[in-house]
């Protein structure tokens, strides 16, 4: 038996699709008013389910930062380190406390940093603490300068690394979970700075920074290194930190104030391109590659200066080496979470694709195939679609034909995920003071539901009122009478996540005032049970079924309603054998 959880908040997933299929025309967005959601023209972006997911939102707000973190589904455990740049005074583009506050506080995180190796206002611990205070970080969370008490050597376990050890702040081992919160931007030496730089140079102690910059040649000076060796050492150092945390790391890049200069510059060049959004992933290589692709998408416009900076420092070599050593994948699947609120979904079952939630100009694209070859493209526009489909057909759902922003993941017929149980037991029951058996902590109808679930492989959903019914019998009677007189529809908590997967639904309830409680009508009017097998069960204190069977038949005239089970509430405790005989009679 599997207990169903409350309905998930987001029903739709969004994947930016660059190519429909092999041999079919590539589609990219051409809406220049919102270039941040253009599908990047990149060989690395894919719709393959095997590729790591990079989530994206075009909103850059405290709420969006929390939302994209929550979308990762990451469980921050123990002491949580949030690594970010505290910014070089006086005019750095560091992530402002007001932007990150909600996220840091939601994970009870500590902001962590390390001292610099190049001089400036953060090269000594005392001066760095003053910058952290001046920039407002101590107003929102605790902070920790990781190398305040020196360095810790950790091994690089990657194959064929440029460096074989890394030097991080000694305090790093005080933490159980690490969240990389990087400001994505250009960098005078690395070409660009994102997740990999934040995890390597950002976490390294002063001597570790020198070690990385020189490709493992010096711990006292960061100058004089070979460029590609420096870029490779960043990937190696990141892998050592990931290993130290046993993979308990997630990565978020904020793409705002996109200057060609890093947050380590106190007087950076002013950005000459628009803000893009926030991206997040479990894969630092995929995340940085997705950010790079979004920059390159603008290379003929206002992203040209940043592209020149990246290429002028051979910055893409960081990604090449990071993938070579197994740090991550440059291929990725981009999922735009901005469309979650649209609650658009596609589902396929029994030869039919069902699309729900389409509004406005949303377009359903049906690519059909015969013997593995595409034979046609059909574009459908409607609020709800039911489309016949055969094995191999593929469906895409876009915001509109002019804005090819996917509203949910594509579906390929024949690849539909296996569903769980085909049978559901849904019931409402009440505890507390009872008419005939005194106070009960398990409702009579709940007991019958339990006996059914012991004999039938089924999911179980208990219908719980948002406003609980009183434990006092007389108060519940009065409320039930008022609800029936008003033909009310009391709200219930949560919901059934995928009612379509169930062929058979047991529906259980007590008899109140001669029929089912009004909250049952709320539930039954929420879901369409037409065409399903419906099996009622109930408890009562002498009124039998009342009018509930007629009410059920009137709600679902096209359903197959089987013989139900009804017993007095006072007999519920001892009804197990009766339930077994009833189920056997139904052939279940």
């Amino acid at each position: 038996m599997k207990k169903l959880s409350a309905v998930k908040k987001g029903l739709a997933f969004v994947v930016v699709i660059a190519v429909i299929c092999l041999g079919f025309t590539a589609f990219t967005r051409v809406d220049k008013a919102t270039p941040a959601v253009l599908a990047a023209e990149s060989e690395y972006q894919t719709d393959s389910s095997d590729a790591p997911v990079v989530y994206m939102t075009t909103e850059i707000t405290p709420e969006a930062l929390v939302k994209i973190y929550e979308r990762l589904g990451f469980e921050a455990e123990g002491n949580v380190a949030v690594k970010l740049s505290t910014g070089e005074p006086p005019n750095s583009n560091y992530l402002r406390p007001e932007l990150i506050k909600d996220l840091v506080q939601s994970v009870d995180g500590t902001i962590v940093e390390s001292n610099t190796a190049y001089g400036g206002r953060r090269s000594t611990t005392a001066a760095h603490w003053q910058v952290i205070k001046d920039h407002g970080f101590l107003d929102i969370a605790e902070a920790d300068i990781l190398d305040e008490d020196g360095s810790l050597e950790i091994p690089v376990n990657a194959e064929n690394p440029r460096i074989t050890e890394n030097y991080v702040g000694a305090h790093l081992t005080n933490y159980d979970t690490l969240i990389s919160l990087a400001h994505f931007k250009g960098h005078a030496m690395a070409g660009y700075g994102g997740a990999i730089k934040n995890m390597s140079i950002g976490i390294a102690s002063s001597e570790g920074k020198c070690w990385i910059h020189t490709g493992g040649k010096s711990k006292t000076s960061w100058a004089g290194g070979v460029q590609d060796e420096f870029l490779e050492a960043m990937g190696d150092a990141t892998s050592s930190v990931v290993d130290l945390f046993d993979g308990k790391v997630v990565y978020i890049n904020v793409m705002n104030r996109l200057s060609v200069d890093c947050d380590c510059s106190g007087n950076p060049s002013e950005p000459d391109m628009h803000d893009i959004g926030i991206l997040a992933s479990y894969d630092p290589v995929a995340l940085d590659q997705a950010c790079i692709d979004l920059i390159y998408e603008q290379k003929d416009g206002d992203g040209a200066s940043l592209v020149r900076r990246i290429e002028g420092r051979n910055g893409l070599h960081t990604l090449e080496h990071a993938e070579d050593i197994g740090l991550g994948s440059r291929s990725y699947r981009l999922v735009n979470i901005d469309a979650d609120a649209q609650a658009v979904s596609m589902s396929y079952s029994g030869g039919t694709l069902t699309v729900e939630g389409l509004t406005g100009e949303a377009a359903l694209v049906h690519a059909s195939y015969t013997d593995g070859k595409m034979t046609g493209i059909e574009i459908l526009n409607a609020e709800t679609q039911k489309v016949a489909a055969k094995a191999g057909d593929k469906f895409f759902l876009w915001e509109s034909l002019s804005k090819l922003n996917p509203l949910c993941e594509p579906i390929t017929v024949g690849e539909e995920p296996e569903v769980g149980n085909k049978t559901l037991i849904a019931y409402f029951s009440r505890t507390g003071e009872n008419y005939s058996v005194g106070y009960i902590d398990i409702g009579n109808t709940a007991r019958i539901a339990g006996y059914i679930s012991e004999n039938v492989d089924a999911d179980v959903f208990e219908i719980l009122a948002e406003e609980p019914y009183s434990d006092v019998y007389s108060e519940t009677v009065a409320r039930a009478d008022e609800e029936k007189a008003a033909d009310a529809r009391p709200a219930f908590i949560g919901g059934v996540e995928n009612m379509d997967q169930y062929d058979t639904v047991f529906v259980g309830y007590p008899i109140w005032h001669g029929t089912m409680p009004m909250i049952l009508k709320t539930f039954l009017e929420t879901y369409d049970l037409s065409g399903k097998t419906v099996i009622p069960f109930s408890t009562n204190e002498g009124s039998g079924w009342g009018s509930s069977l007629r009410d059920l038949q009137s709600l679902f005239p096209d359903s197959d309603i089987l013989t139900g089970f009804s017993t007095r509430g006072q007999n519920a405790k001892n009804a197990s054998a009766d339930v077994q005989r009833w189920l056997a009679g139904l052939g279940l």
Side-chain angles (χ1 to χ4, degrees), residues 156 161-167 201 207-234 236-237:
V156 174
R162 173 60 57 183
I163 58 175
T164 57
E165 65 273 347
N166 183 28
Y167 298 91
I201 293 293
E207 64 175 336
K209 288 177 171 63
C210 295
W211 189 247
I212 295 170
H213 269 284
T214 60
K217 295 183 176 65
S218 175
K219 299 178 189 176
T220 58
S221 174
W222 58 267
V226 176
Q227 179 66 7
D228 281 2
E229 293 180 358
F230 158 50
L231 301 177
E232 292 167 5
M234 285 199 294
D236 298 338

Side-chain angles (χ1 to χ4, degrees), residues 195-412:
I196 295 175
K197 181 179 178 297
N198 193 45
M199 289 282 290
S200 56
I201 293 293
I203 287 178
S205 62
S206 292
E207 64 175 336
K209 288 177 171 63
C210 295
W211 189 247
I212 295 170
H213 269 284
T214 60
K217 295 183 176 65
S218 175
K219 299 178 189 176
T220 58
S221 174
W222 58 267
V226 176
Q227 179 66 7
D228 281 2
E229 293 180 358
F230 158 50
L231 301 177
E232 292 167 5
M234 285 199 294
D236 298 338
T238 297
S239 72
S240 72
V241 175
V242 174
D243 288 345
L244 180 68
F245 279 85
D246 195 25
K248 296 175 184 175
V249 187
V250 288
Y251 312 88
I252 302 172
N253 286 355
V254 180
M255 300 185 74
N256 71 340
R257 296 287 296 169
L258 289 158
S259 170
V260 298
D261 292 321
C262 179
D263 298 350
C264 55
S265 172
N267 291 286
S269 298
E270 275 297 302
D272 58 2
M273 67 180 300
H274 62 275
D275 293 348
I276 291 180
I278 306 174
L279 288 81
S281 182
Y282 284 90
D283 188 320
V285 182
L287 178 60
D288 279 0
Q289 182 68 62
C291 293
I292 289 288
D293 288 344
L294 287 166
I295 297 295
Y296 269 69
E297 181 66 22
Q298 313 306 315
K299 64 184 178 182
D300 296 326
D302 60 359
S305 62
L306 188 46
V307 170
R308 286 194 299 270
R309 173 57 58 86
I310 294 167
E311 294 181 347
R313 304 298 187 270
N314 197 27
L316 299 184
H317 185 59
T318 300
L319 297 171
E320 294 170 347
H321 179 75
E323 186 175 53
D324 286 344
I325 66 171
L327 178 61
S329 168
R330 295 181 74 180
S331 296
Y332 63 92
R333 188 156 53 97
L334 192 63
V335 175
N336 188 323
I337 70 172
D338 291 341
D340 281 359
Q342 298 181 50
V344 176
S345 65
M346 289 193 294
S347 60
Y348 171 77
S349 178
T352 301
L353 179 98
T354 300
V355 183
E356 297 178 328
L358 285 185
T359 58
E361 298 180 346
L364 172 67
V365 177
H366 174 200
S368 55
Y369 294 78
T370 302
D371 297 328
K373 296 182 180 180
M374 191 179 67
T375 56
I377 292 291
E378 185 179 14
I379 299 174
L380 306 161
N381 296 75
E383 292 186 0
T384 302
Q385 290 285 350
K386 289 185 180 293
V387 182
K390 62 182 183 300
D393 286 4
K394 196 161 189 176
F395 293 86
F396 301 85
L397 200 55
W398 287 325
E399 181 179 347
S400 70
L401 290 178
S402 62
K403 298 179 180 180
L404 303 181
N405 181 36
L407 298 181
C408 64
E409 291 184 350
I411 286 181
T412 299

